[in-house]
Amino acid sequence: MSSNESAAGIAHVYRGTFVHATYHTAVEILEDGLLGVDTEGKIAFIGSGKEVDRLSQKWGFEAFAVTQLGQHEFFMPGMVDTHIHASQYSYAGTALDMPLLQWLNMYTFPVEACYKDLEFARNVYTHIVKRTLRNGTTTACYFATIHTDASLLLGQIANDFGQRALVGKVCMDTNNFFPHYKETLDESEGETNRFIGELLKKKYPLVRPVVTPRFAPSCSATLLGHLGEIAQNNDLHIQSHISETKEEVNLVKELFPDYDSYTDVYHRHNLLTDKTVMAHGCHLTDGELKLFRETGASIAHCPNSNISLCSGMLDVRRVLNHKVKLGLGTDVAGGYSPSMLDAVRRTLDTSKALTIQDTQYHTLTFEEVFRLATLGGSQALSLDENTGNFEVGKDFDALRVNTDAAGGPIDLINHGEGPKVYVAGKRVVPFVERP
Ligand code: GUN
Ligand code: FE
């Protein structure tokens, strides 16, 4: 048995169309593919449907036990939401009439303060986990609130529903505008340690803690330093916000005058690592992007939020040219939609808006954006050893999509000799979504 082959038996075999991104191709379509999943949920083999007899002998499964996908069905990797505030779901779709800093003070902090009530937390967290799963988010990187017990509850709920999750208890020891919603330095450090310890003790297979300084304006330099140390000592993920609006960038200059840049504030506190994901980055300089590249830190692009709060338009092409890892995020509730399909559409919209401003702009293709929503997100969260696409040895983390499901949102139209649509060089059936 080669090192690629799993020792575990085969639990499921699927035959049909598989669509995924690879490290070399934005979209690869395997027609009449055959994929085996072992009893540990890992992909044991991928081959052609025509090889079913040979593969069934080799792997010891019965050919009749193969699940055949329908003509209009395909598998794709689960989508990865690299930045979402589970706690803000309670007001998603409202309160988008102010810029970021006022929006935080007026709406966000008062709502997040409510999560000391565990029953309120349970209700919202159950809804957001179920809703994102229904929208195809199999992995989410969550901000909770400053409340440790409610944040632990979010981890438990994600685990119970089978969603892969990075969960962050929010840290903030500075809040001049809404002083009810903050911690002392000691509380923030102590509760972060308690959160990490208790979450790891649960041994949830799909849920991990993420060190979460809210953003530099909410944290003292001392707290940032302690959080950098905690992440380093425990080899943990880190998440925060960066350069979302120009007003915020100017505020950070005022609050941290001795640092070269906003990115430098995080970097000098050991908060930029290859397990760091920073939301937004709309206004980063080339020098800052270079620091992202050098440290391996990634960016969560949240276009719905960036437009909804009039924060800015991230030039994704520029970030990719800098070879900085980038995934997509919904940023509920700065973004009004919990759907990653919406994030895909908004990413294309923003790229096209940049093209309207500059016709020479190298617009993102939807194949590229498909990759960002799947493998790109998985890379951004440093989870791509196990997820992001269909490779032998990775978890079978997948969506089974039926474009012709009864009562579904799509009208499949047989175009006959009508317009031909190609994806990655292959003809596909066009579809029209109902409003
Ligand atoms: N920056 C700091 N906190 C937040 C938040 O909750 N949402 C967004 N969009 N940006 C932030
Ligand atoms: Fe955010």
Side-chain angles (χ1 to χ4, degrees):
M1 192 172 270
S2 81
S3 60
N4 264 356
E5 292 171 8
S6 162
I10 299 299
H12 305 282
V13 182
Y14 300 99
R15 182 171 181 175
T17 302
F18 295 82
V19 181
H20 72 155
T22 72
Y23 292 94
H24 311 291
T25 317
V27 174
E28 183 177 77
I29 302 174
L30 305 170
E31 279 172 308
D32 192 24
L34 193 74
L35 182 147
V37 184
D38 71 20
T39 50
E40 289 166 2
K42 296 199 180 300
I43 299 171
F45 64 84
I46 306 169
S48 160
K50 294 180 189 68
E51 300 177 284
V52 62
D53 291 334
R54 184 180 71 76
L55 289 168
S56 71
Q57 279 185 8
K58 176 172 176 187
W59 291 96
F61 62 89
E62 303 289 351
F64 63 78
V66 174
T67 302
Q68 173 73 52
L69 267 62
Q71 188 195 351
H72 298 295
E73 287 187 295
F74 63 91
F75 275 115
M76 62 173 277
M79 288 186 281
V80 181
D81 189 340
T82 59
H83 183 78
I84 173 167
H85 298 260
S87 51
Q88 295 172 15
Y89 187 49
S90 63
Y91 67 100
T94 68
L96 294 171
D97 56 347
M98 287 180 187
L100 174 69
L101 299 178
Q102 291 91 317
W103 175 84
L104 286 171
N105 296 332
M106 181 65 82
Y107 304 117
T108 306
F109 295 148
V111 169
E112 288 194 16
C114 298
Y115 284 74
K116 65 174 182 294
D117 176 346
L118 276 181
E119 283 319 301
F120 179 73
R122 184 188 306 279
N123 185 28
V124 181
Y125 288 164
T126 302
H127 277 98
I128 188 62
V129 170
K130 286 170 75 172
R131 176 62 58 190
T132 50
L133 278 168
R134 282 188 65 166
N135 278 284
T137 301
T138 57
T139 301
C141 186
Y142 284 119
F143 271 61
T145 62
I146 64 171
H147 310 94
T148 305
D149 292 324
S151 305
L152 289 166
L153 188 56
L154 174 58
Q156 183 197 319
I157 291 167
N159 177 70
D160 288 350
F161 285 101
Q163 188 173 56
R164 194 182 307 271
L166 297 176
V167 177
K169 172 216 141 353
V170 173
C171 297
M172 46 194 290
D173 66 346
T174 309
N175 191 346
N176 296 331
F177 291 98
F178 196 80
H180 300 307
Y181 187 56
K182 72 171 178 187
E183 315 153 288
T184 64
L185 172 66
D186 286 350
E187 278 167 354
S188 195
E189 188 180 354
E191 287 298 292
T192 296
N193 281 322
R194 180 165 83 86
F195 172 71
I196 293 164
E198 294 207 9
L199 194 62
L200 291 175
K201 216 163 40 188
K202 303 276 186 194
K203 295 200 186 312
Y204 297 136
L206 298 176
V207 179
R208 295 185 207 167
V210 44
V211 173
T212 305
R214 175 169 217 117
F215 68 158
S218 297
C219 300
S220 63
T222 313
L223 177 58
L224 292 175
H226 288 181
L227 295 177
E229 233 169 84
I230 290 173
Q232 200 167 37
N233 292 341
N234 298 280
D235 189 26
L236 292 177
H237 283 83
I238 297 165
Q239 63 177 347
S240 190
H241 298 87
I242 196 165
S243 291
E244 183 173 356
T245 73
K246 288 187 176 162
E247 195 186 5
E248 172 205 3
V249 174
N250 290 333
L251 177 62
V252 170
K253 264 193 202 125
E254 270 172 41
L255 294 171
F256 296 87
D258 300 332
Y259 293 78
D260 293 343
S261 65
Y262 198 160
T263 304
D264 190 42
V265 174
Y266 292 131
H267 184 47
R268 283 181 34 200
H269 294 104
N270 298 320
L271 289 163
L272 281 195
T273 74
D274 62 359
K275 289 173 106 176
T276 297
V277 57
M278 288 282 167
H280 308 298
C282 301
H283 307 285
L284 292 172
T285 63
D286 285 340
E288 289 179 285
L289 285 171
K290 191 158 169 269
L291 208 45
F292 269 76
R293 165 85 197 275
E294 284 166 7
T295 55
S298 66
I299 290 177
H301 173 44
C302 306
N304 187 318
S305 170
N306 292 162
I307 297 294
S308 294
L309 296 177
C310 297
S311 302
M313 291 197 287
L314 177 66
D315 182 344
V316 171
R317 179 68 67 200
R318 178 167 159 257
V319 175
L320 297 179
N321 286 343
H322 274 274
K323 303 215 177 319
V324 172
K325 293 185 289 180
L326 182 140
L328 306 186
T330 58
D331 194 27
V332 165
Y336 57 77
S337 171
S339 155
M340 280 297 295
L341 193 54
D342 173 86
V344 165
R345 290 170 171 151
R346 303 287 156 251
T347 298
L348 282 163
D349 284 354
T350 294
S351 191
K352 288 176 181 180
L354 292 171
T355 308
I356 291 168
Q357 290 180 341
D358 170 9
T359 53
Q360 299 303 307
Y361 187 70
H362 188 182
T363 323
L364 294 173
T365 64
F366 84 85
E367 290 94 335
E368 286 179 295
V369 180
F370 171 86
R371 170 155 56 188
L372 296 179
T374 54
L375 183 60
S378 188
Q379 288 177 288
L381 299 181
S382 286
L383 296 174
D384 59 310
E385 225 174 84
N386 290 319
T387 65
N389 65 355
F390 301 133
E391 278 182 14
V392 169
K394 289 192 179 186
D395 291 356
F396 186 55
D397 180 327
L399 310 178
R400 182 173 173 175
V401 180
N402 182 358
T403 55
D404 201 24
I410 292 169
D411 288 322
L412 265 191
I413 309 286
N414 183 354
H415 277 257
E417 284 306 299
K420 294 179 173 56
V421 178
Y422 289 88
V423 177
K426 300 205 177 199
R427 176 109 196 253
V428 295
V429 181
F431 60 79
V432 183
E433 193 169 349
R434 286 188 214 123

